[in-house]
Amino acid sequence: MGIEKATYLKEVRSQYENYPYPRRNPEDERKKLWQPFFDSLDLINYFGFEGKKDFRKNFRALVAGGGTGDATTYLAEQLRGTDAEIVQIDMSSASIDIAKKRSEMRGLTNTKFIHNSLLELPNLDIGKFDYINCSGVLHHLANPGEGLLALKSVLKEDGVMGIMVYAQYGRTPTYFMQELMRMVNKGEPDMQQRVANCKAVYYDLPETNWVKRDEAAYRDEIEQSDDVGFYDLFLHTQDRAYTVPQVYDWAGECGLKLLTFLDQYGHEKQLYSPANYIKNPMVLEKIAGLPLKEQQAIAEILACTFRKHSFYLSKQEKKIPEFETLENVPFFSTYFSQDGVYANVYNAVSSTSETLNISNPPGRISIKPGNVTKLIFKYFDGERSIAEIIAAVKNDPGLSSGASEEEIYSEFARIYKTFNTFDWMLLRDKSVPNTVKSVSELQKYFSNSA
């Protein structure tokens, strides 16, 4: 089926030809690199490849429905200087044009663009991919399962998908607004007039309206994208959402495994846990006996704020790297490790024996330094393995307590578990070089070489 054949695609395609999403100016690449969080190579490696993937060697990524190119640009920038290939497919020529210009602005040579529907992937003979990004796309198809199967057809057997679809409960106000605008705009053929009508209604919403009561949740998207944001939020012609059980069922029906839910700030372990909302120990004990997906479903209904579900899928069950494997290398994730973060943590640990509250908004963790915490951070460099750090601490001349390897390991495990709660500290296999850079490092490299 081509991009012109299905009526529902014509309407959606028309929207993105007139309102490429998200709104981006290629000139802004000089100032900022956008980071779609689940496209960070360290997270992909940790959750999808047991920390053993060397992205420098024959890595292929597909960005399906890539829009104006956030994921394409970020993946390509992370993989600059390697033989990796990033392919973006999108049915909007206007969106592809912006994505191409962003890639050209950065001097990226590892990107390729295809103007077509992702539903055509099984027929395009473009090979298989190690990683597929499909963010905010499948829920706009008349049959999202058909789209997911199309992605699966070009995924390698050990590959990973990063998917984002809308979440039902948190988007309830959005769907009320969409229904309202279908009534207001009934019979109005002009897209710009529909947007004008929507903006007029939005700015006159009474305080009792659910969108108005949750205005902060919409403000950033609307202010950043203006007409584009209004259309995508409140005027979309093809839009559906999922609950946690529906995500699991959908993936299972397509023969895929859900590896983990993800959150932009590393909160998924809290957001999808009933313990984040319920404190009664008797109730928590009862819930803890339920299957994980039922616990996550309970958390979603308790919160009622999830507007999106982001998650990794694969054809196979996957394991994450274990702290018990002493040859694994611990490191700060790219989201947490912006400029100076390690020095700040080390200095904080070095200057006090009091409990440290470390914030990386909106996340916050607390660490009570132990006898060897300072020395652990002294040798924690993203290059040494767990075993090497333990050995260095044990042999450090500043170690006066005579701590055993078991005691050092136990203290290190506590630190790792605390940071890993938000995916701020991850693990990779010792054989994989430390090539992953933070967004600020990537942008600095681009700015210096431009």
Side-chain angles (χ1 to χ4, degrees), residues 35-51 55 74 78 131 160 259-266 268-269 312 319-321 331-336 420 422-428 436:
Q35 181 188 20
F37 65 95
F38 60 39
D39 295 319
S40 295
L41 297 182
D42 53 358
L43 280 176
I44 296 170
N45 201 11
Y46 178 79
F47 285 110
F49 296 101
E50 205 177 346
F55 295 97
Y74 180 46
Q78 290 179 94
Y131 175 68
V160 180
L259 303 181
T260 185
F261 284 103
L262 295 161
D263 175 70
Q264 182 172 359
Y265 305 107
E268 70 284 348
K269 294 183 182 70
Y312 287 139
K319 296 191 299 182
I320 59 173
F331 63 98
F332 282 129
S333 69
T334 52
Y335 186 83
F336 185 67
N420 185 253
F422 291 124
D423 295 331
W424 291 351
M425 191 181 286
L426 303 173
L427 296 168
R428 71 171 187 277
V436 177

Side-chain angles (χ1 to χ4, degrees), residues 285-358:
E285 183 179 0
K286 177 176 176 56
I287 294 173
L290 299 173
L292 177 61
K293 67 179 180 180
E294 292 183 27
Q295 295 183 44
Q296 294 170 333
I298 288 171
E300 180 184 18
I301 297 174
L302 283 168
C304 281
T305 56
F306 299 2
R307 296 176 62 203
K308 300 174 181 178
H309 290 306
S310 299
F311 46 91
Y312 287 139
L313 297 177
S314 68
K315 294 181 179 180
Q316 307 169 353
E317 295 285 358
K318 301 273 189 172
K319 296 191 299 182
I320 59 173
E322 297 178 339
F323 194 81
E324 292 78 6
T325 303
L326 299 186
E327 289 307 306
N328 280 332
V329 176
F331 63 98
F332 282 129
S333 69
T334 52
Y335 186 83
F336 185 67
S337 62
Q338 301 302 321
D339 287 346
V341 67
Y342 171 73
N344 291 340
V345 172
Y346 177 72
N347 290 338
V349 170
S350 301
S351 62
T352 182
S353 61
E354 301 298 319
T355 297
L356 301 173
N357 294 310
I358 301 171

